[in-house]
Amino acid sequence: MEECGGVHIHFPVEGSGSDTVVIRGPSSDVEKARKQLLHLAEEKQTKSFTVDIRAKPEYHKFLIGKGGGKIRKVRDSTGARIIFPAAEDKDQDLITIIGKEDAVREAQRELEALIQNLDNVVEDSMLVDPKHHRHFVIRRGQVLREIAEEYGGVMVSFPRSGTQSDKVTLKGAKDCVEAAKKRIQEIIEDLEAQVTVECAIPQRFHRSVMGPKGSRIQQITRDYNVQIKFPDREENPVPSTEPAVQENGEEAGEGREAEPGSPRRCDIIVISGRKERCEAAKEALEALVPVTIEVEVPFDLHRYIIGQKGSGIRKMMDEFEVNIHVPAPERQSDVIAITGLAANLDRAKAGLLERVKELQAEQEDRALRSFKLSVTVDPKYHPKIIGRKGAVITQIRLEHDVNIQFPDKDDGSQ
């Protein structure tokens, strides 16, 4: 599931007798997972060769590499499959290699050589300017924990606060220590090149920009390797046309009014990181601001757009991930507003206009079907024309796609 973009794979309940496995996710990832499953099944049927090797659990992430890059190279060069233990497995040291015997043996040699290097524990040091130490040790050493997790449990020791020493000690597997030193140097380069960029987005959009539980911001933070800080929320922000007030209570700028249209403090989102990454993250943030467009839709079609109990409009809003606002009937306005991410608006507008075309075609069809013609037929023939239980007249109605109405019994004109 992890190799194929996080697809979900559901096997039938044991004892059900079903041989259907369900894979859910993006189509390309699902197809990739399907091929891997069928390949695995084929290997099992041809009695594929299996070898188990052992490595300390803290080495696993380092062996796998960032985004699975290292282990993918071994798989690609040998053709063998390498399976690491899941979190719930009892034996956390065990790594299983599956495939044809020669492929398995080759993968075994490569992995064992890597593991042997990891068992070679060394102690090393590097110099880090004390001004950067705080970045590594704040939040209970979160950055150091991430480095240890990524690089085989390597121990990184910074000097005690206040000593002004710049010597940092690393202890662990030789390869892991070298990789950790390189990563620390990259972080320092980022800190040296760090800038702060302001992104002005009206406060009312901040919650939408953040996404559910801040998921959109977390994604941007990861994608662009930046820090993003939202301003404190102001319940009743002072309009920008009022004089700015300093902390001591005096008016800033000797009572001059703030420049009209200038962003308020509660609108400013601060992005920190390398300049080019901050600019890219700013663009990504601005792309998340909801935009409203107006679409001309004849007023007499609005109730059909809304649908029974709002089902029609809800379906469109869910499909296009936007909000669609239909004006109140008493306004008799021909304008419908669509609000959402800029990337979704074109699709939503096209979908709405397509629905309008469908409704107009239905209206034209109804108008054409409203044609009426009266025919004079002696009442004594009516029962024959109707037929037993309406069989004859029903056949005529169906054959010509029309409605045929006979006079009521009390109608004077029979």
Side-chain angles (χ1 to χ4, degrees), residues 1-235:
M1 291 194 289
E2 287 172 6
E3 285 173 34
C4 300
V7 296
H8 293 279
I9 300 175
H10 299 281
F11 276 78
V13 179
E14 195 172 353
S16 66
S18 171
D19 59 1
T20 300
V21 176
V22 178
I23 313 169
R24 189 172 72 249
S27 58
S28 58
D29 293 335
V30 166
E31 181 58 25
K32 185 179 173 185
R34 188 183 74 85
K35 285 178 179 175
Q36 282 204 22
L37 279 173
L38 291 173
H39 181 62
L40 272 173
E42 190 180 330
E43 284 181 346
K44 287 288 182 187
Q45 286 171 340
T46 55
K47 296 181 180 179
S48 61
F49 192 72
T50 301
V51 163
D52 293 331
I53 59 174
R54 293 187 172 276
K56 293 177 184 176
E58 58 264 33
Y59 293 162
H60 291 187
K61 199 160 188 177
F62 185 74
L63 290 169
I64 292 166
K66 197 167 186 179
K70 283 186 179 178
I71 208 66
R72 195 178 299 118
K73 282 182 182 175
V74 178
R75 286 178 179 143
D76 292 345
S77 65
T78 64
R81 284 186 53 79
I82 300 144
I83 301 167
F84 285 80
E88 63 272 11
D89 290 347
K90 287 181 181 177
D91 195 341
Q92 286 292 302
D93 288 1
L94 197 68
I95 300 170
T96 304
I97 309 171
I98 302 172
K100 294 176 181 175
E101 186 173 355
D102 56 344
V104 170
R105 294 295 184 198
E106 179 58 30
Q108 182 184 6
R109 279 192 293 274
E110 289 189 28
L111 281 175
E112 284 178 343
L114 288 170
I115 294 164
Q116 190 174 353
N117 284 342
L118 294 176
D119 286 332
N120 179 19
V121 176
V122 298
E123 189 169 314
D124 201 353
S125 64
M126 64 186 296
L127 301 180
V128 176
D129 193 319
K131 69 182 180 183
H132 296 312
H133 290 192
R134 187 172 179 273
H135 175 80
F136 291 92
V137 298
I138 57 170
R139 297 192 300 276
R140 298 180 182 179
Q142 183 183 332
V143 175
L144 295 181
R145 286 200 307 273
E146 288 171 358
I147 289 172
E149 189 181 339
E150 189 76 34
Y151 302 106
V154 65
M155 289 176 63
V156 184
S157 302
F158 274 72
R160 286 185 180 179
S161 178
T163 61
Q164 288 304 303
S165 170
D166 57 2
K167 185 179 179 182
V168 174
T169 306
L170 301 92
K171 187 177 181 180
K174 187 178 179 181
D175 290 353
C176 294
V177 167
E178 288 302 319
K181 282 174 69 176
K182 187 179 176 185
R183 177 65 187 131
I184 290 170
Q185 196 57 48
E186 285 173 357
I187 292 170
I188 292 166
E189 286 171 10
D190 281 348
L191 292 171
E192 294 282 1
Q194 185 165 295
V195 299
T196 298
V197 171
E198 292 187 349
C199 178
I201 293 176
Q203 179 185 278
R204 67 181 184 275
F205 296 130
H206 287 189
R207 188 171 297 189
S208 173
V209 168
M210 288 179 182
K213 297 181 180 178
S215 58
R216 288 175 177 163
I217 294 306
Q218 289 164 15
Q219 188 65 46
I220 291 174
T221 301
R222 284 194 299 270
D223 289 349
Y224 299 99
N225 193 20
V226 294
Q227 297 297 316
I228 299 173
K229 187 178 185 303
F230 277 75
D232 294 330
R233 188 169 179 80
E234 289 187 20
E235 294 301 326

